[in-house]
Amino acid sequence: MTIREKLHAFLASRPAGAEAGELVGLLLSGAGSDPELGTRLLRTMLDGDPNFVFDAASGLWSLRRNQALRVPLDEARFTVVDLETTGGRAGPGTIIEIGAYRMHGRRILDFFQTLVRPHGPIPRFITGLTSITNEMVREAPPIEDVLPAFRDFLGDSVLVAHNAAFDYSFLDFEFRRIFGIGLENPVLCTLKMARRFLPSLKRKRLDALAEHFGLSTEGRHRGLGDARMAAELLSIFIDIASRMGLGRLDRLIDDHQRGAAGRRIERHVAAEEIAAIAQAPGVYLMYNERGDLLYVGKARRLRERLASYFNSSVSAKTADLVSHVWRIETRQTRSSLEAALLEAKLIRELKPPYNRMLKAAAPAYFIRLDLMDEFPRIVVSTRLSARRGVMQTGPFIGRTGIERSVRALSRMLGLRTCAGKLAPDESFSPCIYGQMGHCAAPCNLGIDEDGYAERVRRAVAFLRGRSGPLMGELARARDDAARAMRFEEAARLHRELEALAALSSRASRLSQVVTENNLVIVTGAGRDRAAHIVLSGRLAASRELRSLEDAREVSRFVAENFERYRARPVTREELEPMQIVARWLRERHPDEGRVINLYGPRIETAALGWPDAGSDSTIGAHDGSGPATRIDPAAPGPAAGSFASAACAQDDGKGLPFPRTDKPDAADKRTTA
Ligand code: SF4
């Protein structure tokens, strides 16, 4: 890319123009801080080039072709469009209806509406949503006949739609296919404007906005009906934009390049490059202009994840990252589990600076009970510990709920909440929890070691899923309080019962896996598969699974290591993969890998997809008491609620932070508006 091309591409996304310093900063790092030098350099480079214009009054450079956009919003020409389609993606999906209104400023002048005969049948779901049937479009013109008329209607006006990326992608696809050139009109999106101008409004779909502004929803989910609603929204947003000092068309379009918080997203990676990335699991590495690695992330669907970085709803921190990204490298993996493991390895090895700054994913929490302490307390933590005798359950998502549950459990059993080692002493004065009866106060011998240990045993039983006795006690206490008209106490006990019920339902699901956290996860398909062997909660090995011999090797590994892992303490290095596997099990999609539970030190090679005709297809000792493996169907599996439970040794006193994951920013996806 030449310097002029670079500046041209940058200014194309900045119709209102940019200062010389900003442009020079793009080209020469550091020079942008000297406005005098910037102006002189730009003048030398661009003076005489008819594509570039310098406005001495504002001190801004812009593209000549964008001069036409310097009109007040009330004088701008818009075409507000809504498409109904057979699917969510142009190509496989085709247009079945176009509805559009032509506007001059806030005034509606004309409309365009037609059904379009699609290439294939309309899915029943789309008919249910839009009420457009196959019969209705049977006699309709094909898109090849409709598009020339729509192009005339559109002219050089600004294309506007709600979630315009969707309508634009379909129209651009058909323009390229039919006319050999894409759609070149400027684009505005009422969804983006809603995010920008109404940040506190939670829902920003058309219905929600119509309800918010009291607009009619007549004709919803039909082209013209939705286009009318978007046109009315545009009128409202023109008003808001004008009051915010964005009353000129180029300024409003320019503002579209900014995130919801008003932060500009500088884009240096072309949309075509992102569109060419596979929709597959893997990791991505983002580099700056000098080739320095900035960020490593993982994704279940790489293309979708990377595209989400460039929409305007990203956070200010992400917008900052994106504006420094000039190159993206991707590495595909067989599954999101492998992507997460590879991401963690790359972050550990390469230490990208933005991985420390961006921690977008919701953290996962573990409930921890240190059974080696004389007076254990229940702790919620984002870290797993490698200390001996620590019982850990999880992961759980959502701190508030899990903390409320743990508080209720501790209070119910009178377990202490204070940190540190206790040295019980009769003269010690209990804290407020002891005084209120929420703690049995072992600190001042309010309870002895044996009595406290009995309570801890009950907590462990509860966390392993045997919640009945405790829940029954609490329910009785609540009913007694109600009968005695101690209503406040009854209400508190009821709240605690609810909190414990929530924990119990999660813990009982998880407890199935306590004894089942020996498993083999098979990822990939056909001959490109891998087996990830999890023994005692730990990722013991990952092996290719391309042949019967590979399957035998996995079987041998399980036979030789099953007992060894049960006896061997967890090491610090094992904690991170443990957390990744536990989280993957909790969050996996049904079609992502197969989970095979191990109930002993053997696995059939047939279970791994390689029947071994030459033997009983298993390797390893078997006491004949039952099946050694059970294949979990891909759909609902024990992994639906996962569990990482480890009684660990090797006291290094440190846990590891839960690794960050990336989560796609919520995008307004739809097949119709
Ligand atoms: S009462 Fe004693 S043991 Fe209980 S939380 Fe307070 S200080 Fe700790």
Side-chain angles (χ1 to χ4, degrees):
M1 213 187 223
T2 65
I3 286 178
R4 272 167 208 249
E5 284 169 343
K6 220 180 224 183
L7 292 173
H8 197 281
F10 180 74
L11 287 172
S13 67
R14 298 283 295 274
E19 288 177 357
E22 201 176 351
L23 295 177
V24 177
L26 260 184
L27 308 174
L28 313 163
S29 67
S33 55
D34 181 348
E36 277 299 308
L37 174 64
T39 306
R40 281 203 308 279
L41 277 173
L42 261 288
R43 278 262 158 85
T44 313
M45 272 190 285
L46 301 180
D47 256 0
D49 187 327
N51 293 312
F52 297 90
V53 178
F54 179 67
D55 178 9
S58 63
L60 298 177
W61 284 90
S62 57
L63 292 184
R64 186 169 301 280
R65 73 163 202 222
N66 285 339
Q67 297 290 296
L69 302 175
R70 310 183 88 177
V71 291
L73 288 174
D74 272 328
E75 288 171 29
R77 283 174 299 112
F78 303 101
T79 298
V80 187
V81 68
D82 185 83
L83 305 179
E84 303 304 329
T85 66
T86 57
R89 209 152 52 83
T94 56
I95 298 171
I96 53 174
E97 187 178 38
I98 301 178
Y101 282 95
R102 185 186 286 148
M103 296 177 73
H104 185 208
R106 283 174 254 203
R107 279 180 301 123
I108 289 179
L109 302 179
D110 201 356
F111 73 90
F112 181 101
Q113 193 274 331
T114 183
L115 287 171
V116 181
R117 190 169 75 234
H119 301 309
I122 300 174
R124 224 182 281 169
F125 158 71
I126 297 294
T127 296
L129 190 69
T130 62
S131 72
I132 300 174
T133 63
N134 286 306
E135 289 68 40
M136 288 165 68
V137 295
R138 189 162 295 136
E139 301 301 322
I143 189 69
E144 289 78 3
D145 293 352
V146 168
L147 215 54
F150 179 71
R151 185 173 60 171
D152 290 346
F153 183 83
L154 180 63
D156 60 358
S157 63
V158 180
L159 181 90
V160 185
H162 196 71
N163 190 14
F166 175 84
D167 304 86
Y168 176 86
S169 69
F170 274 83
L171 288 171
D172 186 62
F173 178 85
E174 296 296 1
F175 266 61
R176 284 177 197 278
R177 193 174 66 80
I178 295 167
F179 305 129
I181 183 164
L183 193 60
E184 292 188 325
N185 298 57
V187 178
L188 283 173
C189 174
T190 48
L191 176 63
K192 278 189 181 181
M193 285 189 253
R195 287 182 182 140
R196 175 83 170 95
F197 300 146
L198 308 166
S200 56
L201 196 68
K202 243 184 172 175
R203 293 165 52 242
K204 298 183 177 72
R205 289 172 60 90
L206 267 181
D207 316 75
L209 290 167
E211 191 185 324
H212 180 75
F213 290 113
L215 309 178
S216 161
T217 55
E218 198 185 327
R220 179 77 176 106
H221 293 306
R222 289 298 300 267
L224 210 53
D226 285 356
R228 195 208 67 253
M229 289 164 69
E232 290 177 18
L233 284 176
L234 176 64
S235 298
I236 294 167
F237 291 143
I238 285 177
D239 193 38
I240 297 175
S242 302
R243 281 190 268 123
M244 288 175 69
L246 299 168
R248 222 170 62 184
L249 181 58
D250 59 339
R251 289 187 183 143
L252 183 59
I253 295 174
D254 196 67
D255 192 70
H256 253 48
Q257 312 302 322
R258 296 168 188 259
R263 167 98 201 194
R264 180 184 301 284
I265 299 171
E266 308 285 8
R267 181 177 195 141
H268 312 295
V269 180
E272 294 76 37
E273 276 183 49
I274 302 293
I277 291 170
Q279 191 70 301
V283 297
Y284 50 91
L285 296 87
M286 295 174 152
Y287 296 89
N288 68 9
E289 199 180 3
R290 287 202 309 268
D292 305 324
L293 178 66
L294 298 180
Y295 183 74
V296 173
K298 68 165 192 312
R300 184 171 274 139
R301 289 181 288 276
L302 280 168
R303 190 199 312 140
E304 186 178 309
R305 174 67 186 120
L306 286 167
S308 74
Y309 276 101
F310 297 94
N311 74 41
S312 61
S313 59
V314 296
S315 68
K317 279 184 183 172
T318 304
D320 182 53
L321 164 66
V322 170
S323 54
H324 288 90
V325 173
W326 286 75
R327 184 169 71 83
I328 298 176
E329 178 191 324
T330 58
R331 297 185 195 172
Q332 282 185 46
T333 56
R334 292 185 197 89
S335 68
S336 59
L337 172 62
E338 284 159 41
L341 292 167
L342 179 58
E343 179 204 35
K345 178 172 175 284
L346 291 173
I347 291 173
R348 207 170 42 247
E349 289 174 359
L350 305 174
K351 299 185 175 43
Y354 274 85
N355 282 86
R356 286 193 295 276
M357 291 166 61
L358 299 175
K359 291 189 185 295
Y365 298 94
F366 293 85
I367 294 178
R368 187 194 293 175
L369 201 54
D370 184 354
L371 299 174
M372 298 302 279
D373 192 329
E374 282 169 332
F375 300 100
R377 66 194 182 109
I378 308 176
V379 176
V380 175
S381 173
T382 53
R383 297 159 185 240
L384 276 177
S385 167
R387 280 192 288 141
R388 181 187 295 277
V390 177
M391 177 190 172
Q392 296 168 104
T393 67
F396 302 95
I397 306 295
R399 180 163 200 133
T400 314
I402 207 68
E403 281 190 336
R404 190 184 306 132
S405 303
V406 162
R407 263 200 310 274
L409 182 62
S410 298
R411 185 189 305 194
M412 170 81 194
L413 291 168
L415 300 184
R416 72 183 179 114
T417 53
C418 58
K421 196 159 174 58
L422 274 194
D425 184 339
E426 241 173 346
S427 62
F428 190 85
S429 176
C431 72
I432 184 81
Y433 294 105
Q435 290 167 25
M436 289 168 67
H438 294 169
C439 172
C443 55
N444 80 338
L445 296 172
I447 186 169
D448 65 14
E449 209 175 309
D450 289 344
Y452 195 88
E454 176 53 28
R455 294 177 183 222
V456 171
R457 268 193 291 280
R458 297 183 72 194
V460 169
F462 183 94
L463 290 172
R464 288 192 185 281
R466 292 192 292 280
S467 57
L470 263 187
M471 301 281 287
E473 261 178 55
L474 198 54
R476 278 193 295 280
R478 176 198 59 188
D479 296 344
D480 287 348
R483 264 194 296 276
M485 295 205 285
R486 300 193 306 273
F487 295 120
E488 271 189 23
E489 185 185 343
R492 178 181 60 77
L493 290 169
H494 183 72
R495 282 196 300 276
E496 289 187 354
L497 194 63
E498 282 181 335
L500 284 186
L503 179 59
S504 151
S505 93
R506 288 206 260 182
S508 64
R509 262 193 298 127
L510 299 174
S511 71
Q512 295 168 17
V513 192
V514 177
T515 53
E516 297 169 10
N517 57 358
N518 294 293
L519 39 97
V520 176
I521 301 164
V522 178
T523 56
R527 295 223 157 211
D528 182 25
R529 293 187 302 143
H532 305 279
I533 305 161
V534 179
L535 298 178
S536 298
R538 285 163 275 174
L539 182 63
S542 293
R543 297 277 189 272
E544 298 287 329
L545 203 53
R546 297 174 193 271
S547 65
L548 175 60
E549 191 41 49
D550 290 341
R552 284 181 178 149
E553 165 58 25
V554 170
S555 200
R556 249 193 310 274
F557 185 92
V558 170
E560 287 167 7
N561 292 283
F562 190 89
E563 292 303 335
R564 200 167 68 81
Y565 268 83
R566 280 165 74 132
R568 191 171 71 65
V570 173
T571 65
R572 196 164 184 268
E573 290 69 38
E574 288 172 332
L575 292 175
E576 187 178 56
M578 268 176 88
Q579 288 174 321
I580 291 172
V581 170
R583 185 157 186 156
W584 180 84
L585 286 168
R586 187 184 192 284
E587 296 178 345
R588 78 187 177 115
H589 281 202
D591 57 350
E592 269 194 298
R594 202 158 50 98
V595 175
I596 306 168
N597 290 299
L598 303 175
Y599 295 100
R602 44 180 262 159
I603 180 167
E604 298 156 8
T605 57
L608 297 165
W610 290 98
D612 191 348
S615 73
D616 68 350
S617 81
T618 64
I619 296 174
H622 187 20
D623 61 9
S625 58
T629 61
R630 191 183 79 201
I631 303 174
D632 226 335
S642 68
F643 194 94
S645 171
C648 315
Q650 184 165 320
D651 186 351
D652 66 0
K654 291 177 190 162
L656 282 179
F658 198 87
R660 61 148 304 284
T661 62
D662 56 359
K663 234 179 174 158
D665 293 298
D668 194 67
K669 301 277 186 299
R670 59 176 193 154
T671 51
T672 64

